[in-house]
Amino acid sequence: MNQQLFEKVDDYISNLVAPEDTVLQETIQSLDDASMPQISVTPVQGKFLQLMLLTCKAKRVLELGTLGGYSTIWMARALPADGKVITVEFDPHHAQIASKNIAKAGLSDRIDLRIGKAMDVLNELIAVGEETFDFIFIDADKPPYTEYFELALQLSHPGTMIICDNVIREGQVLDKNSNDEKVRGVQRFNQMLADNPKVTATIMQTVGAKEYDGMAIAIVN
């Protein structure tokens, strides 16, 4: 088993059940054009997010980490006509590219793009009494994942699904002596998740075009 095989199987699954249309392809291309990192979810993962939204009949979605808007578009497309995504991006340049991609997808009326630190935006949403979300996708900077999750819980209701990406880090989470702040961040997060009585959760390992990682999936009790 090797990375080349994982990528071929990922392409096979994507072509079968998660084909990209022109908008999604151009969104990925826009990252290269703007010298942005190619760290979006894969098409198969985008379709997975759609299925999870449908599973919990989501109308209101919160996303931390917009990048170029690729995952945002996948999720917004799974929402009913009165659905809404609030997506948060720290980097203004990334947000500018994402806004163009969202407009090209015809989803500007369904996606509310906020620019700023995720922690600040979360606290603002809580402070103004924002309506709770049905689905929350956390795919932002890793060191404060625990804090993001705990704030996200304040914006949740029983049954809210919270998915957090990149929590296995190619198996580096097994290294108790890691000095990588991203690894240490998700180690702390994973332990918090295991100990948290407010959610029922698991972690799924993922392989594919984006190499070896994992997603945490939690349902608020």
Side-chain angles (χ1 to χ4, degrees):
M1 303 292 282
N2 54 46
Q3 183 58 33
Q4 188 176 23
L5 176 60
F6 295 152
E7 290 178 8
K8 287 181 178 178
V9 173
D10 216 340
D11 288 342
Y12 165 78
I13 298 171
S14 176
N15 291 334
L16 276 178
V17 298
E20 292 179 302
D21 61 8
T22 302
V23 167
L24 290 169
Q25 292 172 346
E26 290 179 352
T27 296
I28 291 298
Q29 181 59 45
S30 74
L31 301 186
D32 283 340
D33 295 343
S35 300
M36 291 165 60
Q38 283 289 359
I39 54 173
S40 306
V41 299
T42 65
V44 176
Q45 291 170 338
K47 187 64 174 288
F48 170 74
L49 292 174
Q50 282 193 348
L51 288 171
M52 294 300 99
L53 262 66
L54 294 171
T55 297
C56 59
K57 298 179 172 60
K59 284 190 175 183
R60 288 179 49 77
V61 175
L62 175 63
E63 176 183 46
L64 305 183
T66 315
L67 193 63
Y70 185 80
S71 55
T72 324
I73 292 169
W74 272 105
M75 291 190 291
R77 286 177 167 177
L79 294 177
D82 59 345
K84 192 78 172 179
V85 178
I86 293 179
T87 184
V88 183
E89 175 54 48
F90 171 71
D91 188 310
H93 176 56
H94 294 179
Q96 181 183 24
I97 300 302
S99 184
K100 291 179 181 178
N101 291 328
I102 289 165
K104 191 179 295 184
L107 292 167
S108 296
D109 61 336
R110 200 172 294 184
I111 298 171
D112 178 0
L113 174 55
R114 310 278 181 97
I115 303 173
K117 292 183 178 180
M119 205 84 74
D120 293 343
V121 176
L122 286 167
N123 280 312
E124 288 168 10
L125 291 171
I126 293 167
V128 300
E130 183 74 28
E131 185 181 345
T132 57
F133 295 92
D134 308 307
F135 185 92
I136 299 174
F137 181 46
I138 300 177
D139 191 14
D141 50 323
K142 312 311 169 191
Y145 253 35
T146 297
E147 288 72 25
Y148 291 160
F149 189 88
E150 289 171 343
L151 290 172
L153 284 176
Q154 297 184 50
L155 293 162
S156 303
H157 56 74
T160 294
M161 182 180 293
I162 306 175
I163 292 183
C164 303
D165 201 9
N166 309 125
V167 299
I168 296 299
R169 315 297 304 174
E170 297 187 330
Q172 294 179 62
V173 288
L174 298 179
D175 181 3
K176 296 179 180 179
N177 299 312
S178 176
N179 292 317
D180 186 320
E181 62 176 7
K182 295 179 181 178
V183 173
R184 293 169 69 92
V186 296
Q187 286 172 329
R188 190 164 62 94
F189 165 79
N190 292 341
Q191 187 60 57
M192 178 278 299
L193 194 68
D195 298 336
N196 198 316
K198 296 179 181 178
V199 297
T200 301
T202 191
I203 297 172
M204 302 292 293
Q205 298 181 77
T206 58
V207 296
K210 293 296 171 70
E211 301 181 349
Y212 175 40
D213 214 320
M215 285 184 173
I217 305 170
I219 302 289
V220 178
N221 296 330

